[in-house]
Amino acid sequence: MSLQGKRILLGVTGSIAAYKSAHLTRLLIKSGAEVQLIMSASALDFITPLTLTTLSKRPVYSDFFDKKSGEWNNHVELGLWADLFIVAPLSANTLAKFANGLCDNLLSATYLSARCPVMLAPAMDLDMYQHPAVRDNLRKAQSFGNILLDAESGELASGLVGQGRMMEPEHILMQIERFFHHKADFKGKKVMITLGPTQEAIDPVRFISNHSSGKMGLALANSFKSRGAEVYLISGPISIAIDSADFYLTQVKSASEMYQAAEAIHGSMDICVFAAAVADYAPAKIAEEKIKKDDSEMSIQLKKNVDIAFELGKIKKLGQIHVGFALETTNEEAYAKAKLDKKNFDMIVLNSATEKGAGFQHDTNSVRIFRPDGKSLDSGLVSKVQVAELILDEIKNIPVWI
Ligand code: PMT
């Protein structure tokens, strides 16, 4: 999708992620946009204006008054020039200024003057990102109509692992493209997504589970939401924060809780996506007290869990679409096709548990999508955001889609 002729103001603030603004500038320029950069004073400590001037082919502004040219950088004109103002990375400090109307530099003055839509891509350490003050400021900025490009999870500059990384430039580009070529092709559709793992209790302190992070399910949720759908999430225990303002969220632990929640809303859904990694077995009995260690070996008897997709597949209504996932380590294609048939899916997304960069936990995935007519499509190794978009596009090729 081209951004030809679009005028984008790109604000850069003081964060280690400022180096990514060079890549973002390049991507925007490549897709045809005009890019004007504004840097905060502390951003200058992380990346040189020369790099960004060279990439954007325009002078970079950081102060009201340009000492070299003697020119006044007019924040009102900048705010009026742009079709979109994006601040990436957005530091906690600049966010606080935006949320509270503080205006002590060119960037914050331009923010207050801008009449165009504003996108915010925060970047900070995970504890900062979860601090109530930051959460409050983010909510406040969103209540002004600013579009939040939520921070991604992964390894942070501090060495800690969690949510706080600035959204990858490729993902930001996709959001910007989507913003300008907005497709509301799922408007009016109700979508249920199961995501994350389930936890099956052994005793009050132990459980059986798996490595699902919920990232794939959440990427799908964001795609459906941004394309106009009403999204109902049934999530097993995951550590990624889900913004309950965006989705109808039910949090569950076990497979049987997930089934009850899914069954309760299934009848009124247009599309159901089964992205959860549901435990197939659970302990036959949950010990009431913590099981004590003794000298002998022990075994736990397991009982079969309800197969949510299979049970709901039996009562799938005419016109309803069911999309399944398959995670395999051997005979991947044959097992996936068997599940497509057995669980009455309209489409199944096979991802490998052994391929590098695919499946559990990663921000990327590599999938093969099968349809009942035997047709299949490979995504290659791409971000989960891109996989989600591909799945939505494929859903529209299902014959029952109206
Ligand atoms: O969460 P991430 O870290 O991002 O990882 C994503 C993922 C790998 C978990 C996801 O992409 C995925 O593949 N989810 C399905 C994993 C799985 O359980 O596959 P399966 O082959 O065991 O199950 C087949 C289908 O039946 C799935 O749609 C599953 O949700 C559903 N199922 C399975 C068992 C069960 N008891 N109930 C179900 O609904």
Side-chain angles (χ1 to χ4, degrees):
M1 264 182 278
S2 159
L3 294 177
Q4 198 63 43
K6 298 292 177 211
R7 296 194 288 205
I8 298 176
L9 263 185
L10 173 56
V12 182
T13 70
S15 154
I16 187 72
Y19 77 92
K20 291 186 187 173
S21 60
H23 186 37
L24 179 58
T25 304
R26 209 168 155 264
L27 292 174
L28 291 170
I29 294 282
K30 260 178 82 176
S31 73
E34 284 179 62
V35 183
Q36 175 60 60
L37 279 122
I38 307 178
M39 298 173 78
S40 72
S42 41
L44 300 171
D45 294 332
F46 291 92
I47 182 164
T48 71
L50 181 63
T51 307
L52 298 176
T53 298
T54 311
L55 290 169
S56 66
K57 302 180 183 72
R58 284 170 164 267
V60 169
Y61 302 132
S62 58
D63 212 342
F64 289 104
F65 186 69
D66 189 328
K67 287 172 196 106
K68 261 196 215 154
S69 65
E71 271 175 34
W72 169 253
N73 296 321
N74 190 327
H75 56 91
V76 177
E77 268 175 21
L78 286 169
L80 292 177
W81 170 84
D83 296 312
L84 176 72
F85 184 14
I86 170 157
V87 187
L90 172 71
S91 65
N93 187 40
T94 300
L95 167 67
K97 289 182 191 177
F98 288 179
N100 294 288
L102 267 89
C103 180
D104 62 351
N105 60 22
L106 181 68
L107 183 62
S108 52
T110 308
Y111 170 78
L112 291 181
S113 319
R115 289 195 187 161
C116 62
V118 177
M119 283 185 173
L120 304 175
M124 57 196 86
D125 215 52
L126 79 166
D127 296 310
M128 286 173 82
Y129 200 53
Q130 292 310 327
H131 194 283
V134 170
R135 303 313 304 171
D136 246 25
N137 286 338
L138 284 170
R139 264 191 295 275
K140 222 168 155 188
Q142 282 177 283
S143 76
F144 307 151
N146 297 172
I147 302 160
L148 175 66
L149 304 183
D150 211 1
E152 294 183 349
S153 299
E155 197 175 328
L156 301 162
S158 61
L160 296 173
V161 177
Q163 192 183 12
R165 287 163 64 97
M166 185 182 98
M167 186 180 270
E168 288 301 326
E170 284 83 0
H171 301 172
I172 294 181
L173 177 70
M174 206 184 285
Q175 297 286 343
I176 294 176
E177 287 174 340
R178 209 179 290 155
F179 170 80
F180 283 116
H181 306 277
H182 185 63
K183 290 193 275 183
D185 46 358
F186 284 83
K187 199 168 167 54
K189 302 284 178 201
K190 286 187 171 183
V191 179
M192 176 186 92
I193 303 172
T194 68
L195 69 151
T198 63
Q199 289 180 355
E200 312 299 332
I202 297 169
D203 67 15
V205 297
R206 303 180 180 96
F207 55 79
I208 297 171
S209 190
N210 58 64
H211 299 290
S212 172
S213 63
K215 286 180 185 174
M216 189 64 247
L218 204 54
L220 282 158
N222 286 323
S223 290
F224 275 116
K225 163 93 185 154
S226 72
R227 287 168 71 165
E230 205 172 281
V231 184
Y232 294 74
L233 297 180
I234 302 173
S235 176
I238 57 172
S239 58
I240 315 172
I242 299 179
D243 198 334
S244 54
D246 285 342
F247 309 107
Y248 296 93
L249 172 65
T250 308
Q251 287 167 312
V252 298
K253 282 215 167 94
S254 65
S256 75
E257 284 172 19
M258 188 173 271
Y259 174 61
Q260 279 171 32
E263 205 240 345
I265 59 169
H266 172 259
S268 59
M269 294 294 127
D270 299 296
I271 301 165
C272 300
V273 184
F274 299 89
V278 186
D280 287 324
Y281 292 91
K285 260 177 69 185
I286 304 173
E288 275 175 29
E289 304 294 338
K290 181 181 169 190
I291 299 169
K292 300 306 282 180
K293 184 168 68 176
D294 61 26
D295 289 339
S296 56
E297 302 291 321
M298 76 166 292
S299 57
I300 299 170
Q301 183 161 12
L302 300 176
K303 65 172 182 357
K304 228 170 153 193
N305 265 340
V306 57
D307 189 321
I308 304 165
F310 176 72
E311 290 305 324
L312 298 181
K314 289 196 282 193
I315 54 167
K316 188 170 76 170
K317 291 187 304 189
L318 204 66
Q320 242 179 354
I321 292 174
H322 279 197
V323 176
F325 271 81
L327 186 69
E328 306 290 350
T329 52
T330 53
N331 291 333
E332 304 186 337
E333 211 171 302
Y335 285 140
K337 283 180 175 164
K339 283 175 189 170
L340 175 75
D341 201 35
K342 182 177 169 207
K343 303 197 188 196
N344 199 13
F345 289 140
D346 298 283
M347 193 171 112
I348 194 157
V349 183
L350 167 68
N351 42 200
S352 169
T354 51
E355 194 179 329
K356 216 166 164 250
F360 287 138
Q361 302 274 337
H362 300 284
D363 287 328
T364 48
N365 208 353
S366 170
V367 303
R368 178 169 290 184
I369 298 173
F370 295 98
R371 301 218 314 257
D373 61 9
K375 289 200 181 123
S376 71
L377 178 77
D378 285 326
S379 70
L381 186 67
V382 291
S383 71
K384 283 185 174 165
V385 177
Q386 285 166 293
V387 170
E389 285 293 314
L390 185 69
I391 292 171
L392 265 66
D393 290 342
E394 274 305 293
I395 287 175
K396 288 173 60 192
N397 290 329
I398 295 172
V400 292
W401 170 265
I402 32 161

